[in-house]
Amino acid sequence: MKIKTITTWWHETDNLIIRDVPVTSTIVEMDKQLIIIDTGMVGNDQLLEELGDLGYCPSDFTMVINTHLHCDHIGGNRVFTKARILISRQELDYEENFARALQQSDDPVATLRSLGRNIDESSTKTAWDVKQAQDEWPASLLVGDQAQIEFFEDNPILPDNFSFIRVPGHTVDSRAVIINGSANQIAVTGDAFYHRDLWSVSVAGINYDDSLFQQNAERLSHFKGIIIPGHDHAFDNSNGKYLIEDTFEV
């Protein structure tokens, strides 16, 4: 089994929660299956360019898995027209309601506070950026064709060495993908553990529940194996060192 990670950035926006933020997509090549976990930001051509450089085209992929449904992790879903798309039904329902509340709001600070978000006086710009993201890139628009979607809650068929763990906090039903290789175990965490060095930092207004986020980030920090964060390169959690290559066998 071969794993490749792709890191993409999107520069063409004034939205500070998205601009110049590296987003990690993970490709798993095994048997007759080709899987991608998280697909980057919508409108970012870097993902297609990187796939092409690796010798792939979107129609090669048999499965898309989304750790959560924020726009910078599901933005490329719709280019994978022949893949099964695995997501959380609870997450999609929540994100649809969340988008609706912000789209109808002229005071996103108050709206986010009413939804339990941690918004202080210094995070007004963040609140407006969250609203902009929901106005322009709601999950229901990006996630993919309904005929392709399968929900975690329905126990979709997975490769034998794949499983999920629930790690809510960043979003209402964030999932980490656990892959058991012959030599290593891998956790593809999405934003439940988004960076090797910054994983315990909460950005005001971004998390569904800061306390849950901290609990599950701490839980993932003890994972014995390779961690692939949502916004960083893969590293070996036994020694804290980044892997030398973005392509590796497990």
Side-chain angles (χ1 to χ4, degrees):
M1 177 168 53
K2 184 177 292 185
I3 293 182
K4 304 177 183 182
T5 59
I6 293 174
T7 305
T8 54
W9 289 261
W10 198 49
H11 311 292
E12 305 302 319
T13 180
D14 293 327
N15 191 311
L16 294 181
I17 62 175
I18 297 166
R19 190 181 74 197
D20 300 335
V21 176
V23 182
T24 303
S25 300
T26 301
I27 296 167
V28 184
E29 187 178 323
M30 53 184 298
D31 301 328
K32 296 182 180 179
Q33 297 205 63
L34 189 60
I35 299 164
I36 187 166
I37 305 169
D38 291 342
T39 61
M41 182 60 195
V42 64
N44 188 350
D45 293 334
Q46 286 185 14
L47 179 68
L48 291 177
E49 293 169 2
E50 294 280 353
L51 290 177
D53 289 344
L54 291 171
Y56 303 127
C57 64
S59 60
D60 296 330
F61 285 80
T62 57
M63 186 184 298
V64 172
I65 300 173
N66 294 127
T67 60
H68 64 293
L69 298 185
H70 283 171
C71 59
D72 56 334
H73 291 260
I74 63 173
N77 276 23
R78 286 191 174 272
V79 305
F80 298 94
T81 56
K82 295 185 178 180
R84 301 162 59 205
I85 299 174
L86 276 55
I87 64 171
S88 162
R89 179 187 286 112
Q90 179 186 8
E91 182 110 345
L92 182 59
D93 289 345
Y94 177 88
E95 290 297 329
E96 287 177 340
N97 291 328
F98 183 68
R100 191 175 303 114
L102 282 170
Q103 288 165 357
Q104 295 171 354
S105 174
D106 57 6
D107 186 351
V109 172
T111 300
L112 288 171
R113 284 175 175 164
S114 74
L115 295 170
R117 300 297 176 101
N118 177 23
I119 296 287
D120 58 28
E121 297 306 316
S122 67
S123 49
T124 299
K125 174 68 167 65
T126 300
W128 281 98
D129 283 348
V130 172
K131 174 176 168 56
Q132 179 201 4
Q134 295 300 329
D135 288 344
E136 296 187 28
W137 312 298
S140 58
L141 181 67
L142 303 181
V143 70
D145 190 287
Q146 186 174 358
Q148 294 175 252
I149 293 173
E150 301 177 25
F151 295 108
F152 298 146
E153 291 89 340
D154 296 332
N155 298 313
I157 296 172
L158 297 171
D160 291 339
N161 51 350
F162 272 56
S163 61
F164 301 117
I165 57 172
R166 293 191 66 243
V167 282
H170 181 66
T171 62
V172 68
D173 193 24
S174 299
R175 306 274 177 136
V177 184
I178 306 300
I179 306 169
N180 290 300
S182 58
N184 280 299
Q185 191 175 45
I186 299 92
V188 186
T189 64
D191 288 1
F193 193 99
Y194 58 89
H195 192 283
R196 185 193 69 171
D197 302 322
L198 304 174
W199 59 268
S200 63
V201 178
S202 296
V203 179
I206 299 299
N207 291 326
Y208 162 74
D209 184 309
D210 280 341
S211 177
L212 268 178
F213 168 77
Q214 293 289 346
Q215 290 174 32
N216 281 304
E218 176 67 27
R219 175 185 170 199
L220 287 168
S221 75
H222 299 289
F223 178 80
K224 298 185 186 304
I226 295 170
I227 293 179
I228 304 177
H231 295 278
D232 196 12
H233 295 281
F235 66 96
D236 186 339
N237 202 36
S238 66
N239 58 25
K241 294 182 178 180
Y242 287 114
L243 302 189
I244 296 173
E245 301 290 343
D246 288 331
T247 297
F248 54 96
E249 301 274 353
V250 296

